[in-house]
Amino acid sequence: MQTVGASEAGGANGLLYTFKLNIAPIMDDFDTLLVHVRDDTVHETITLTREQPVATRRCLHVPAISYDNPEVLDDVTVYFVGDSQGQELRFNVSRIANAAPRLQWFTNTPSDYKEKYISFEYRHFIQTQTGYFEPNMEKTVTILPEGGYYLPEEYYSGFEPGKDKQNTVNREYFNISEPDQFDAVSVGFKTTGPTKETLDGDKIKIIGDKWYFYDITGSSRREGFQFNLREIQKVAFNSGAGKFGEAGPNAITPEYEIGHSETLSKRGISAPSDIKAPEGKKLIGWKADNKGEVISPEDLLTLPITASTVFYAVYDKDDSQFINITANTNDPANSVVLAEENPIEVAVKSTWADIKSVKTASGKTITDLVTPNPGYAIYQWLREEAPGTFVPLTDATVFEDSADVIADVKKVVLDEEPTKPEDKEAYVKVSFKSDAAEATENGGYFGTAEEKHEEINKWVLKNSPRSVLAQPTPVANVGFTFNAWDPAEYPTTEFTTDETYTATWTKLADIIGPVDPTDPKKPEKPEGYVTVSFLKGANGTLSTIEKTGLATVEYYVNPTAKKTMADVAAPTIVPETGYSVAAPAWKDAAEAALDTATAIDKDLSYTAQYKKLADVIGPVDPTDPEKPKKPEGYVTVSFLKGANGTLSTTEKTGLATVEYYVNPEAKKTLADV
């Protein structure tokens, strides 16, 4: 800033000065400069900008110029003063400009300070060519509950040129200095309120038991000083799944104090240096209260802390401690490899047991990555130890480098005995046989009628589940029934050793009956047997030794036993009243009489035959040994001679009794006798 020159001129009310002001050199500091010139009657304002940095004015000067309540624009106010007539005034304007100080709260509980107050004082000693003067600002303000900042009103005290005016008010100060060739600066604040404030180093207790760190930032230039009160927060570190030294997991450090919105680095706080990550992992950062995004160790140092926080260590895998295990197959024609799931990453020196327990994102394990076709299974897993040499894996096998593991895929059930040595070891023989003694008597077989087997042999892959091979269904020959397997139990466990099972049979009777087909407890007709049926016909019923009043009587006969009708006992025909058994008693559907020589090799059916009787039979001499037999169900009409005579018929005389056999259902009367 150029100096301002004053030249003498005449005037009715005093000396007239001409001021020339050029602000171009300080345009980096100010956009606009406002100049005030006053006397008792005149107040002129000169505004200078970047575009118009030079101005010349003539104005009156009187010694009684006032300095109270200056106006402010864009942080800068410049005052031109003179104390003697004709004296040239020189000021360094660039250092007179002062921004208003402000108070900044950093707190999470602004509502606590609604009724609290704070006073702060700002001193700035400004050097002029003729001496020092001290613009003195002091203001008590109400703290904003929102925790924002407050720009207090400025005012300036009077001064005497050449003297250093001192303020004698008793206060406690927190001072910083910013000396330079023009300034000597002292800033400070004190608190007021119902309780006595406490100071402890760089901490102050203002409200109740709440402590704050304080600091003062800024300068006396354009930005002004800022008084910062920071509510004290607590930070600590938790080791998470790792350890701090030998402590952990979830070891926690003591709490550190830090001001609200300060960084760890400013307070010299850092995470523990002896952190130990879990096996296979490394530290990648921290999470505030174990939530949100991961904060890198570098960013943690510069992170503003706005609340009491515990930082939890976060770990991720250390690639150098892992290897890749890839699943493959020795039989690609009969199995499928899930390539999109390969490989599986595991820790170095993992055992095969460890590897099998690791799951992919979809929940699969290494053994799930090869899927055999139906009828095939994985017998074992192999690793190539040398070119062309494959060794079975055990749970204890250790992997120190990435490798392929090979699924040994084999057919589960073979119909023929394997010939390769390695396959002979992989399979067990399972045999199903028909009992030899019974088989010679047509006991039974396995298979179908077109393809019968008295013995079935299968070779099953070891450790296969029982479900891969069911016992065959025994089929009994005619005249036999399946009895049981020997041994009786077919296990539910896996196949591990050779096994043999024998089907046993029970011989059935060649003729089963007589059978009442309406009896729910009737015997079951054996498979392959034929039926001989006896039907009651229209005028009677059938009876057997055990039952009467039957409509049908059946016999189940083995057609291979070479039986004839002579081997079957026909049931008894019971005619209805008025009928007798005809001769022949039985006829088939073709009206052929039953022939006892007929071979029973197919279903046969015979119906009872009847003869109609007279409704009235007689006269009959009951003493005649050749008299007709009284039909079943008939009633007798008897005529007796009495005491004084005898009876006679057309055929006989001298009879004592004459009888008639009458069908009671024929509705006959004595007129018919």
Side-chain angles (χ1 to χ4, degrees):
M1 181 72 183
Q2 301 295 320
T3 58
V4 179
S7 60
E8 185 174 337
N13 297 319
L15 294 176
L16 183 65
Y17 289 87
T18 299
F19 295 88
K20 182 178 181 181
L21 185 62
N22 181 358
I23 67 168
I26 62 167
M27 281 290 94
D28 288 341
D29 293 329
F30 304 106
D31 294 328
T32 303
L33 191 63
L34 188 66
V35 179
H36 296 276
V37 180
R38 301 186 186 192
D39 62 16
D40 291 339
T41 60
V42 179
H43 178 189
E44 184 177 7
T45 300
I46 304 170
T47 302
L48 300 178
T49 65
R50 291 179 183 269
E51 291 75 19
Q52 189 176 4
V54 179
T56 300
R57 292 290 190 275
R58 297 174 63 201
C59 61
L60 293 176
H61 166 71
V62 294
I65 190 169
S66 171
Y67 305 100
D68 294 331
N69 299 319
E71 298 179 23
V72 178
L73 180 64
D74 287 342
D75 300 331
V76 179
T77 303
V78 179
Y79 302 92
F80 291 85
V81 298
D83 61 346
S84 63
Q85 182 174 326
Q87 182 176 348
E88 184 177 74
L89 304 178
R90 295 179 180 274
F91 296 87
N92 190 307
V93 180
S94 67
R95 295 303 179 186
I96 296 177
N98 294 291
R102 62 181 180 177
L103 174 67
Q104 177 75 54
W105 284 96
F106 295 91
T107 174
N108 292 325
T109 53
S111 60
D112 290 349
Y113 314 111
K114 210 167 187 180
E115 303 301 328
K116 299 299 179 179
Y117 300 90
I118 185 166
S119 298
F120 56 91
E121 182 178 88
Y122 178 81
R123 291 185 174 191
H124 198 163
F125 302 96
I126 302 176
Q127 183 179 20
T128 68
Q129 188 175 18
T130 59
Y132 291 88
F133 72 91
E134 177 190 0
N136 187 32
M137 185 280 295
E138 177 183 351
K139 185 70 174 179
T140 299
V141 299
T142 301
I143 299 169
L144 298 180
E146 292 81 8
Y149 64 83
Y150 183 87
L151 288 175
E153 180 183 355
E154 291 188 81
Y155 70 93
Y156 293 84
S157 64
F159 70 95
E160 295 181 22
K163 293 185 178 181
D164 183 3
K165 183 177 178 63
Q166 298 295 323
N167 192 314
T168 60
V169 179
N170 181 22
R171 291 182 174 86
E172 294 174 331
Y173 291 100
F174 312 99
N175 297 323
I176 66 173
S177 295
E178 189 183 49
D180 55 37
Q181 62 182 9
F182 301 108
D183 298 341
V185 180
S186 175
V187 293
F189 62 86
K190 78 165 189 174
T191 60
T192 62
T195 60
K196 179 175 177 61
E197 294 74 31
T198 303
L199 299 177
D200 181 9
D202 58 353
K203 295 190 294 186
I204 182 171
K205 184 166 68 174
I206 298 177
I207 298 170
D209 292 329
K210 291 187 178 179
W211 285 86
Y212 295 77
F213 284 120
Y214 66 84
D215 61 81
I216 303 172
T217 57
S219 70
S220 63
R221 296 184 180 89
R222 183 173 183 178
E223 72 273 16
F225 287 107
Q226 179 170 298
F227 298 79
N228 302 308
L229 289 175
R230 304 178 185 274
E231 183 179 358
I232 291 180
Q233 312 297 321
K234 302 292 181 68
V235 295
F237 299 90
N238 189 301
S239 68
K243 294 182 177 182
F244 293 149
E246 298 303 319
N250 289 311
I252 192 166
T253 65
E255 292 181 328
Y256 300 95
E257 290 185 338
I258 188 170
H260 191 292
S261 299
E262 286 185 325
T263 63
L264 298 181
S265 60
K266 180 178 179 181
R267 285 284 159 190
I269 301 171
S270 60
S273 59
D274 59 347
I275 190 167
K276 295 180 180 178
E279 184 177 354
K281 295 187 176 182
K282 63 182 178 181
L283 178 71
I284 62 168
W286 304 84
K287 281 190 176 182
D289 293 327
N290 210 21
K291 296 181 291 187
E293 296 182 355
V294 177
I295 305 166
S296 70
E298 296 76 16
D299 290 344
L300 183 66
L301 296 176
T302 58
L303 178 71
I305 304 301
T306 58
S308 293
T309 305
V310 176
F311 290 100
Y312 286 76
V314 180
Y315 308 93
D316 202 354
K317 69 176 182 179
D318 185 348
D319 291 336
S320 65
Q321 299 186 43
F322 290 86
I323 56 176
N324 291 326
I325 305 301
T326 304
N328 215 325
T329 178
N330 65 350
D331 189 357
N334 292 300
S335 57
V336 177
V337 178
L338 302 180
E340 64 274 13
E341 301 278 358
N342 260 326
I344 286 182
E345 189 176 64
V346 298
V348 174
K349 295 187 178 179
S350 292
T351 65
W352 178 234
D354 297 330
I355 295 170
K356 289 189 294 183
S357 68
V358 176
K359 292 188 177 182
T360 66
S362 63
K364 292 181 172 59
T365 65
I366 189 80
T367 57
D368 298 326
L369 301 189
V370 176
T371 303
N373 292 348
Y376 290 80
I378 299 173
Y379 173 56
Q380 61 186 348
W381 287 85
L382 310 170
R383 181 172 66 176
E384 191 172 21
E385 296 292 343
T389 301
F390 295 89
V391 177
L393 297 176
T394 68
D395 284 348
T397 302
V398 176
F399 289 76
E400 296 188 358
D401 299 300
S402 296
D404 283 9
V405 289
I406 311 301
D408 187 8
V409 176
K410 297 182 183 295
K411 192 171 183 179
V412 176
V413 180
L414 302 178
D415 294 328
E416 296 181 357
E417 184 175 5
T419 56
K420 294 181 180 179
E422 61 269 24
D423 286 344
K424 285 181 175 292
E425 289 294 323
Y427 287 87
V428 296
K429 182 180 180 181
V430 181
S431 298
F432 303 97
K433 298 180 178 181
S434 176
D435 182 56
E438 295 290 355
T440 59
E441 301 177 21
N442 299 318
Y445 59 91
F446 310 114
T448 64
E450 294 75 20
E451 187 176 352
K452 297 181 179 180
H453 301 281
E454 294 183 0
E455 181 173 345
I456 295 177
N457 294 308
K458 300 288 184 180
W459 286 263
V460 181
L461 193 64
K462 282 183 181 178
N463 303 317
S464 294
R466 187 63 49 167
S467 59
V468 302
L469 182 65
Q471 286 180 303
T473 300
V475 181
N477 286 325
V478 177
F480 292 85
T481 184
F482 173 70
N483 180 33
W485 285 102
D486 182 21
E489 182 182 359
Y490 192 56
T492 58
T493 55
E494 297 175 345
F495 290 95
T496 56
T497 60
D498 292 349
E499 299 173 5
T500 299
Y501 300 91
T502 302
T504 62
W505 314 93
T506 298
K507 183 71 175 71
L508 299 176
D510 290 330
I511 299 176
I512 300 172
V515 175
D516 175 6
T518 65
D519 188 348
K521 296 181 180 180
K522 68 179 180 179
E524 184 177 356
K525 178 182 176 182
E527 186 72 24
Y529 273 42
V530 297
T531 303
V532 176
S533 301
F534 293 92
L535 310 179
K536 70 180 182 65
N539 300 297
T541 60
L542 306 177
S543 67
T544 65
I545 296 176
E546 297 179 351
K547 290 186 177 184
T548 60
L550 300 175
T552 303
V553 174
E554 295 178 342
Y555 286 87
Y556 305 143
V557 182
N558 180 355
T560 66
K562 299 180 179 181
K563 299 296 181 179
T564 67
M565 289 301 297
D567 298 311
V568 175
T572 300
I573 300 172
V574 181
E576 294 176 353
T577 301
Y579 291 87
S580 65
V581 178
W586 300 96
K587 290 183 180 181
D588 61 18
E591 293 295 317
L594 184 153
D595 185 352
T596 57
T598 300
I600 305 175
D601 55 7
K602 59 184 177 182
D603 290 341
L604 299 174
S605 180
Y606 296 93
T607 302
Q609 304 298 307
Y610 301 92
K611 181 177 70 173
K612 183 71 174 74
L613 299 176
D615 291 329
V616 178
I617 301 173
V620 175
D621 176 6
T623 63
D624 186 350
E626 295 181 359
K627 69 180 178 179
K629 183 179 178 181
K630 178 183 178 180
E632 187 73 25
Y634 274 43
V635 297
T636 302
V637 177
S638 300
F639 293 93
L640 307 179
K641 69 179 182 65
N644 300 303
T646 62
L647 304 176
S648 65
T649 66
T650 57
E651 296 178 357
K652 286 187 178 184
T653 60
L655 300 174
T657 301
V658 174
E659 295 178 342
Y660 287 85
Y661 304 144
V662 181
N663 181 354
E665 297 177 0
K667 298 181 181 182
K668 299 296 182 178
T669 67
L670 287 176
D672 299 313
V673 176

